[in-house]
Amino acid sequence: MGSTPVGFGICRPCEGPTRPGFALCYCCTTLIGRLQMPLAPVTAVTPYRVGDGMHRLLRGYKDAPMAEVRSICTSQLAGILRRWLSEHVDRLLARTGGPWDLVVGVPSSQRPVAPVDALVDAVPLLARHHVSLLVRGPEPTDHLVASRRGFEVTSNGGAGCGERGRRALVVDDSFTTGARAQSAVAALRIAGIRVAGVLVVGRVVAPDAAWWQAAYWDSVIEERRAARTVEWAGGGHPVAGLPR
Ligand SMILES: [Zn+2]
């Protein structure tokens, strides 16, 4: 019997797990091929597995039938983001190469108003630079489907009105392959806006998908144990009425 492989590498653009010795994960390699441009550095607040409390919270914030439940979930996510930023803003600044003067949410693929905009507005450090610059473009974006034309900068608040040359932090709620976030990055760059990086609240990890993903997940659990943090890194009480 061969020995069980252990360890994992960290993908340079997305900081997700990759096969040891590889600088890029499969998703980032695919996205670079599709977008034909370098990817922006991604920082994720909380890794989670499908079905975890964080996953239910993210689903509740987007899809709970009752507005009140969506609002409670948004408040909890904003609290997680505020606490994380209060402790880790220096790490984020190092990762993004310095401060940003625009904060741009990734538009929703289904809803006219993206829930991430409400989330950003509830976090003062982000809200003060928040601008709605992006709308959906003529080409689709989906898991692993990235496009330079997946989003467009709006003409009324866009690069023609003083944003050109400024540095943007792109914010999204959840991160699976990065296709939507990196398509948003591409659209901003095409409009002349420099992108400092991408901040996401939750990153999906699939420990069953590959041994290095399992090893990465074990390290997440170990870190939480050492830091005595709960599942979604910062506390919060279960929200009644969340989808299961
Ligand atoms: Zn990656």
Side-chain angles (χ1 to χ4, degrees):
M1 273 179 63
S3 61
T4 307
V6 291
F8 58 92
I10 290 290
C11 172
R12 234 178 267 155
C14 78
E15 289 192 333
T18 188
R19 191 187 276 271
F22 283 67
L24 295 174
C25 69
Y26 172 75
C27 294
C28 286
T29 307
T30 306
L31 298 184
I32 290 170
R34 284 182 179 268
L35 291 169
Q36 293 292 303
M37 62 171 71
L39 303 181
V42 176
T43 304
V45 170
T46 308
Y48 70 92
R49 298 167 304 178
V50 169
D52 284 353
M54 186 64 180
H55 180 232
R56 294 202 302 278
L57 195 54
L58 283 163
R59 278 189 56 204
Y61 131 99
K62 284 184 203 172
D63 293 328
M66 288 171 64
E68 192 190 343
V69 175
R70 291 198 301 275
S71 166
I72 292 169
C73 292
T74 303
S75 300
Q76 287 219 358
L77 287 170
I80 290 166
L81 200 44
R82 278 196 301 269
R83 277 191 296 274
W84 186 88
L85 282 167
S86 72
E87 291 171 19
H88 300 284
V89 71
D90 289 344
R91 174 164 118 64
L92 181 63
L93 284 167
R95 179 87 172 132
T96 57
W100 52 85
D101 47 16
L102 295 173
V103 171
V104 182
V106 178
S108 169
S109 39
Q110 274 124 39
R111 299 159 197 80
V113 178
V116 73
D117 285 324
L119 188 56
V120 167
D121 284 337
V123 179
L125 195 64
L126 303 176
R128 61 172 180 250
H129 297 302
H130 185 201
V131 284
S132 290
L133 277 186
L134 291 172
V135 291
R136 287 172 61 193
E139 291 187 1
T141 58
D142 203 343
H143 290 334
L144 281 179
V145 180
S147 167
R148 289 179 173 217
R149 301 179 71 214
F151 299 101
E152 288 176 337
V153 169
T154 52
S155 50
N156 59 344
C161 301
E163 270 77 14
R164 185 175 282 271
R166 292 171 71 184
R167 296 184 86 240
L169 179 70
V170 172
V171 180
D172 207 356
D173 38 54
S174 49
F175 185 97
T176 306
T177 66
R180 297 184 66 257
Q182 298 290 358
S183 297
V185 168
L188 291 168
R189 284 177 175 160
I190 287 165
I193 295 163
R194 291 183 294 158
V195 177
V198 176
L199 176 66
V200 296
V201 183
R203 173 209 297 283
V204 181
V205 180
D208 295 338
W211 56 264
W212 60 89
Q213 297 241 12
Y216 172 79
W217 183 251
D218 287 346
S219 80
V220 169
I221 298 297
E222 196 48 51
E223 246 177 61
R224 283 178 191 166
R225 204 171 283 148
R228 295 169 186 269
T229 51
V230 296
E231 181 194 333
W232 53 70
H237 300 287
V239 180
L242 285 187
R244 289 268 149 192

